[in-house]
């Protein structure tokens, strides 16, 4: 059967779990989180979340040997950097200094990790610089996550930033294309740009699907909480209300701006493979507005996962974590 790893992606709205073996992704599970469990990207109570993870795994009969989790961007810094060629030991010593503009506590309070993406050579073809993707997270964050999973009865093997999760997926498909993954989430929309399997940059738009609830509530004179269930089920075709349409338009313009900015800064990179993931990818009129505004086709996220019968819109990031 082989070892099974579960990847966990705890979002603002739902818990996504992907079970992965050496052969690939087996299944993806999504369970809506209790109201208020995550605020501004942070887990409010690690104990309560640990219990929720435990219940979800039990209820959905999810079995695996070890686990990987995605750390939210607010709790983990991820950046690309070029540094002179050096040994692993030297890199370990130097990484904290590379993060000095990002971290707020003492450098000893953080864990650092890195992956060398490539070695850049000088005019004489001698190795000159390392192109590195590096991450830093507070040791206390890692220990909070470890104890949360311990409470759920799960051994946490690794915790990674979402960018690294996508790198893992792109490293597997090895198509060498430039990909832009647009995660249409609950309270924000994030864009992640990749050149082959190299992470280039990201951009965040600070509103997401939940912004539609206010518009639907006002248009239909209902409670925003009820509006959320109307939105998900497209009750009374509410996703096509003119009030929602204008939010799709604004979002599409912001996405277009971010894509243009990236193209302007990276004229050599042909950003043609655009993928929509996250619950917002299920909103057909939003998808259409994005496609019309960007004037490029939007590919199915399954291209990145290389599996059939798995809901890639939800499980993509979780699957990439499990592949770490
Ligand atoms: N089938 C659907 N139709 C319409 N909207 C949906 C559907 N499924 C989920 N959504 C909505 O999409 C939004 C994002 O869902 P998703 O499951 O990606 O959230 P999340 O991963 O917890 O959020 P985030 O990544 O922003 O933290 C939510 O507001 C959710 O209500
Ligand atoms: Mg998400």
């Amino acid at each position: 059967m082989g070892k099974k790893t579960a990847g966990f992606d705890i979002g603002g709205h739902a818990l996504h779990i992907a079970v992965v073996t050496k052969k690939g992704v087996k299944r993806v599970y999504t369970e809506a989180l209790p109201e208020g469990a995550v605020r501004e990207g942070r887990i409010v109570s690690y104990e309560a979340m640990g219990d929720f993870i435990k219940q979800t795994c039990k209820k959905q009969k999810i079995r695996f040997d070890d686990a990987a989790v995605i750390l939210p961007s607010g709790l983990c810094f991820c950046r690309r950097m070029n540094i002179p060629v050096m040994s692993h030991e030297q890199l370990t010593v130097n990484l904290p200094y590379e993060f000095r503009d990002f971290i707020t506590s003492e450098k000893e309070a953080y864990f650092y990790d890195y992956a060398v993406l490539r070695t850049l050579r000088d005019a004489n073809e001698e190795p000159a610089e390392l192109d590195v993707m590096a991450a830093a997270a507070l040791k206390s964050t890692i220990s909070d996550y470890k104890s949360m999973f311990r409470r759920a009865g799960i051994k946490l093997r690794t915790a990674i930033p979402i960018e690294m999760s996508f790198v893992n997926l792109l490293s597997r498909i090895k198509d060498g294309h430039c990909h832009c993954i647009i995660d249409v989430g609950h309270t924000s929309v994030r864009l992640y740009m990749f050149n082959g399997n190299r992470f280039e940059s990201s951009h965040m738009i600070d509103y997401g699907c939940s912004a539609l609830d206010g518009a639907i509530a006002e248009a239909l004179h209902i409670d925003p909480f009820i509006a959320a269930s109307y939105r998900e089920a497209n009750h009374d075709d509410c996703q096509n209300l003119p009030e929602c349409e204008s939010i799709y338009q604004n979002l599409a313009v912001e996405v277009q701006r971010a894509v243009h900015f990236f193209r302007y800064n990276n004229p050599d990179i042909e950003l043609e493979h655009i993928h929509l993931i996250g619950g917002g990818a299920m909103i057909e009129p939003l998808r259409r507005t994005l496609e019309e505004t960007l004037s490029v086709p939007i590919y199915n996220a399954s291209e990145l996962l290389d599996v059939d019968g798995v809901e890639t819109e939800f499980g993509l990031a979780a699957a990439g974590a499990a592949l770490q």
Side-chain angles (χ1 to χ4, degrees), residues 175-230:
D175 67 356
H177 290 143
C178 301
H179 294 270
C180 172
I181 301 174
I182 307 178
D183 189 352
V184 187
H186 191 53
T187 52
S188 67
V189 174
R190 285 91 50 189
L191 283 84
Y192 303 93
M193 281 58 156
F194 296 87
N195 183 1
N197 65 352
R198 284 199 304 274
F199 168 64
E200 292 288 341
S201 68
S202 64
H203 178 76
M204 189 175 97
I205 300 162
D206 64 2
Y207 60 96
C209 297
S210 66
L212 295 166
D213 298 349
I216 295 173
E218 208 162 298
L220 303 181
H221 308 291
I222 55 172
D223 181 82
F225 192 71
I226 298 173
S229 63
Y230 271 44

Side-chain angles (χ1 to χ4, degrees), residues 9-12 14 16 162 183-186 190 278-279 314 317:
D9 170 14
I10 306 164
H16 310 283
I162 196 163
D183 189 352
V184 187
H186 191 53
R190 285 91 50 189
F314 292 107

